[in-house]
Amino acid sequence: MTISAPAQIEVRDLSMSYGRTVIQHDLSFSINEGDIFVIMGGSGCGKSTLLKHMLGLMVPSRGDILYGGVSFFEANEEEQGAMRQRWGITYQSGGLFSAMTLAENITLPLQLYTDFTAAEIVDIVAYKLALVGLAGYQSYYPSEISGGMQKRAALARAIALDPQILFFDEPSAGLDPISSRLLDELILQIKESMGATVVMVTHELPSIFAISNNSVYLDNVSKTMIAYGNPVQLRDLKEPPVVRQFLTRSAAADNEDTL
């Protein structure tokens, strides 16, 4: 008899609220190791709020989130810190420290959480920047590079500690289609080279179909998840109609733009 390992991330009966206002309720899904998992849904449905719960920045009104079978919210502070050190996070704005060079931004987590020497850190920083196509940009400040380059620099910082899980909040926000596609390709390359699991909040259909293999759809009317699975398969289903409409909406709009 084969006993399967627990999913890398399990969301169990999760309910989220701001005071008495329920954002989403009864969310239950699993994310397996190696998935590129997308949290999707219409505007205001609670995608970023769910991500904040998964990062432990907000406490659920009910339910739990487990990492490797271990409850994050029942863990003590030291255990939570150990879990977080296995994560890499990029924010919608990039989140780079503007007063620090790119090298200093990437150096920070290495100084805080590792015992590498200064010389070793210099080499690691150069390697991480090279991985994201920014070799030689160590001395640049965020304001001196383009938006797409800032996104890549933020990714370099997110992978500084070789995380097991990468979290992205609207990684392509504000990018032109070419830069967005290049970032998708980079995320896929980094995921493959590191063997990481990716959890991403996005509404960008090209990104969803290009790199993700699993997803959950949050409905802002019923305030719960109404679809879960591979987004390509969800797109081809007739039910629920709102999910199919969401996953086919951009193609028609793009066609209109080119007429």
Side-chain angles (χ1 to χ4, degrees):
M1 178 180 178
T2 301
I3 300 176
S4 59
Q8 191 167 18
I9 307 173
E10 295 177 79
V11 174
R12 292 183 177 175
D13 301 318
L14 188 76
S15 293
M16 311 180 298
S17 60
Y18 291 104
R20 295 184 179 181
T21 303
V22 175
I23 306 302
Q24 288 283 324
H25 64 88
D26 299 321
L27 306 181
S28 292
F29 58 86
S30 299
I31 303 173
N32 294 317
E33 185 174 356
D35 276 356
I36 297 184
F37 188 92
V38 171
I39 301 169
M40 58 187 185
S43 178
C45 68
K47 300 185 295 294
S48 293
T49 300
L50 174 56
L51 188 65
K52 290 177 182 177
H53 280 75
M54 296 179 74
L55 294 172
L57 301 177
M58 296 181 68
V59 178
S61 53
R62 185 170 62 84
D64 204 355
I65 301 175
L66 286 72
Y67 289 89
V70 178
S71 167
F72 180 86
F73 294 104
E74 291 182 4
N76 59 41
E77 188 174 339
E78 182 178 352
E79 292 168 335
Q80 289 181 346
M83 289 186 196
R84 285 192 171 108
Q85 286 186 39
R86 298 193 289 270
W87 305 344
I89 306 165
T90 68
Y91 301 96
Q92 186 173 147
S93 62
L96 295 170
F97 294 107
S98 60
M100 292 182 175
T101 64
L102 302 191
E104 289 168 341
N105 267 278
I106 302 167
T107 294
L108 188 59
L110 293 165
Q111 289 177 330
L112 290 174
Y113 301 113
T114 75
D115 296 323
F116 291 123
T117 65
E120 289 171 332
I121 288 177
V122 169
D123 289 340
I124 293 170
V125 169
Y127 174 65
K128 299 299 182 181
L129 283 171
L131 278 179
V132 300
L134 292 175
Y137 281 82
Q138 286 91 324
S139 63
Y140 283 68
Y141 287 88
S143 62
E144 297 176 323
I145 59 177
S146 69
M149 294 168 76
Q150 289 178 24
K151 298 276 189 179
R152 285 186 275 150
L155 177 55
R157 186 178 63 183
I159 63 174
L161 299 177
D162 296 327
Q164 297 175 359
I165 306 171
L166 280 168
F167 293 94
F168 294 91
D169 187 6
E170 297 284 2
S172 301
L175 298 183
D176 61 83
I178 294 176
S179 297
S180 179
R181 185 173 68 252
L182 291 174
L183 183 61
D184 287 341
E185 293 172 357
L186 179 59
I187 291 171
L188 191 57
Q189 291 168 7
I190 293 294
K191 178 259 180 190
E192 293 295 337
S193 65
M194 297 182 62
T197 300
V198 174
V199 180
M200 180 187 305
V201 170
T202 186
H203 67 279
E204 300 285 350
L205 292 188
S207 296
I208 291 172
F209 293 129
I211 64 175
S212 69
N213 70 305
N214 203 358
S215 66
V216 66
Y217 185 92
L218 307 183
D219 182 47
N220 55 9
V221 176
S222 60
K223 297 187 183 300
T224 192
M225 56 185 284
I226 59 173
Y228 169 54
N230 187 297
V232 174
Q233 296 174 350
L234 296 180
R235 179 195 61 193
D236 296 338
L237 295 175
K238 293 183 178 180
E239 300 292 339
V242 67
V243 177
R244 191 170 191 275
Q245 181 180 14
F246 177 88
L247 290 172
T248 57
R249 77 196 189 283
S250 186
D254 290 344
N255 288 337
E256 290 176 2
D257 291 340
T258 59
L259 294 178

